[in-house]
Each structure stands twice: as structure tokens, then as C-alpha cells.
Amino acid sequence: KVLDASTLSFGTRVRWFAICFVAGVVCSILGTALLWLPKGIKLFAVFYTLGNIAALASTCFLMGPLKQLKAMFEPKRLVATVVMLVNILFT
């Protein structure tokens, strides 16, 4: 069965939001810290991308995936959404 955020209880949604958000922040900080190692650029790209994806997933738990996508593609947010998705896809 496909996991639908709207069928989850509020407490469960908040818990998974927090887990994904913290994981996203940790991955982004870890990626930035690894930037200074040899071949750190590749590690930075991987961890920073994972951090962005986890942060997006966190808001999907709060709002629900469909509502999240509708909000992301509103005309006033379209440019930011396209830039972020290009960053994720080509990093």
C-alpha cells in the first residue's frame, strides 16, 4: 500500500517531519565539512543533495505530498523550485 501522509496521525507526521528535517540538516552540514577532504567535492555533492531531499521529504510529511507539489509549483515559487530541482538532478 502506498504511504499517504494524509492517513497518518498528526503526531506521526510531526515525528517524521522532525526526523527527516534533522537528517537533512545533518547531511548538509556533513557535506560542507567533508568539502575540505581530498575528493571532498564529490562527497559534498552527495551529502548536500541527500540533505535537500530529506528536507523536502520532511515538509511532505507535514503538508502531504500532493499539497507540497501544488505549493512548490505556484507561479511565485516556480523559479525557486526549478533551480532547486536542477541542483538536485545535476549535482
Side-chain angles (χ1 to χ4, degrees), residues 29-67:
I29 291 172
L30 182 61
T32 303
L34 293 174
L35 188 59
W36 308 109
L37 295 177
K39 297 190 181 183
I41 294 287
K42 291 180 183 178
L43 292 171
F44 168 77
V46 169
F47 280 101
Y48 200 76
T49 301
L50 290 175
N52 281 329
I53 292 170
L56 274 176
S58 71
T59 56
C60 282
F61 277 106
L62 281 185
M63 299 173 64
L66 201 55
K67 190 174 178 183

Side-chain angles (χ1 to χ4, degrees), residues 47-91:
F47 280 101
Y48 200 76
T49 301
L50 290 175
N52 281 329
I53 292 170
L56 274 176
S58 71
T59 56
C60 282
F61 277 106
L62 281 185
M63 299 173 64
L66 201 55
K67 190 174 178 183
Q68 170 76 19
L69 286 173
K70 285 180 183 178
M72 285 173 60
F73 287 98
E74 287 178 356
K76 65 182 178 183
R77 295 181 177 160
L78 187 60
V79 173
T81 300
V82 169
V83 168
M84 183 212 41
L85 290 175
V86 167
N87 177 36
I88 288 173
L89 292 174
F90 295 108
T91 301

Side-chain angles (χ1 to χ4, degrees), residues 5-17 61-63:
S6 63
T7 62
L8 300 174
S9 71
F10 181 73
T12 302
R13 287 187 286 155
V14 169
R15 200 171 307 123
W16 279 104
F17 162 78
F61 277 106
L62 281 185
M63 299 173 64

